[in-house]
Amino acid sequence: MAANWKMHKTVREAQDYMAALLPRVADFAGEVDVAVFAPFTCLSEVARMAEGSGVIAGAQNFFYEDSGAFTGEVSAPMLLDVGARASIIGHSERRELFCETDEAVARKARRAVEAGLLPVVCVGETKEERDAGRMWEKVSGQVRAVVEGLGEASGGQVVLAYEPIWAIGTGETASPEDAQDAIGRIRELLGELRGGEFASEARILYGGSIKPGNISEIMAQKDVDGGLVGGASLEVGSFLELVGAARD
Ligand code: 13P
């Protein structure tokens, strides 16, 4: 169960959150993998506090070059240096607002695997694309681009997140059946591209208006391995409810 804080929380707020989360999340050790994707400014603090707890500290983005004249960017070695073990890549907000292409997303995913960061690669369609019957054309294209860029990575080194854009921050969740349909097809495609072992080892999350009230039916779907949560991850209490639902 992954918290994506997006552009929220000061260092002090992050410390308070982690101090409340860590003792309680210990109850789920070995049963649910928990990750917190924090802004760069509090990532080192989140990683420091998470050390030894099993909670994965992750970034929300990075650039695929390791160093150089790339003003405003942060590299994979820099993330590892502050204790991050994972990064979200190609979130729809980055694709839509910051013009990230499938090619850039694929390069980032490849660099993450090479550097030893767990990539959590987001895919998903807009409302217009869904209404026009083009959900799978969009999503399968995004998945193909990532998988082609991954080189020899095994399935266990990769996490994908299906986040329909129309369900992000809108309160409109994909129905559990829609989530299963898309995620089941993504897993099938992984099997075609990289074989059954890769497909079954890769974890595929659902994201988009997950809340304590809808998590159980989403997690009950056969191919849904977990959730990538924005709004409902900002309060420790509701995030812990989601972690608990992932165990049940
Ligand atoms: P919400 O849970 O706020 O809809 O955000 C989902 C998301 O974008 C997680 O990455």
Side-chain angles (χ1 to χ4, degrees), residues 174-182 217 221:
S175 69
E177 294 74 25
D178 284 344
Q180 168 57 34
D181 172 57
E217 53 184 11
Q221 302 303 310

Side-chain angles (χ1 to χ4, degrees), residues 93-233:
E93 287 149 17
R94 297 222 51 90
R95 293 179 187 259
E96 303 256 302
L97 300 172
F98 301 97
C99 308
E100 280 196 17
T101 61
D102 277 350
E103 193 203 341
V105 171
R107 288 182 74 170
K108 291 180 183 194
R110 185 184 191 111
R111 185 67 199 113
V113 171
E114 284 168 0
L117 278 174
L118 182 70
V120 178
V121 183
C122 301
V123 298
E125 82 287 0
T126 62
K127 180 100 178 81
E128 294 70 44
E129 288 161 343
R130 172 162 282 259
D131 290 347
R134 291 175 30 233
M135 179 281 277
W136 185 237
E137 184 190 326
K138 170 77 173 292
V139 170
S140 61
Q142 291 176 321
V143 172
R144 281 177 193 277
V146 171
V147 172
E148 278 161 19
L150 275 179
E152 293 307 304
S154 67
Q157 290 174 287
V158 183
V159 180
L160 291 171
Y162 170 64
E163 299 206 313
I165 296 170
W166 46 271
I168 295 178
T170 58
E172 198 182 336
T173 324
S175 69
E177 294 74 25
D178 284 344
Q180 168 57 34
D181 172 57
I183 291 177
R185 288 165 82 170
I186 292 171
R187 205 180 293 286
E188 258 175 52
L189 178 59
L190 294 181
E192 280 166 34
L193 297 172
R194 295 294 299 271
E197 193 176 323
F198 184 99
S200 62
E201 282 179 0
R203 277 172 288 178
I204 312 179
L205 314 180
Y206 167 78
S209 297
I210 289 180
K211 296 179 211 65
N214 60 25
I215 185 68
S216 297
E217 53 184 11
I218 292 168
M219 287 303 301
Q221 302 303 310
K222 168 165 128 344
D223 284 295
V224 177
D225 293 320
L228 182 55
V229 191
S233 76

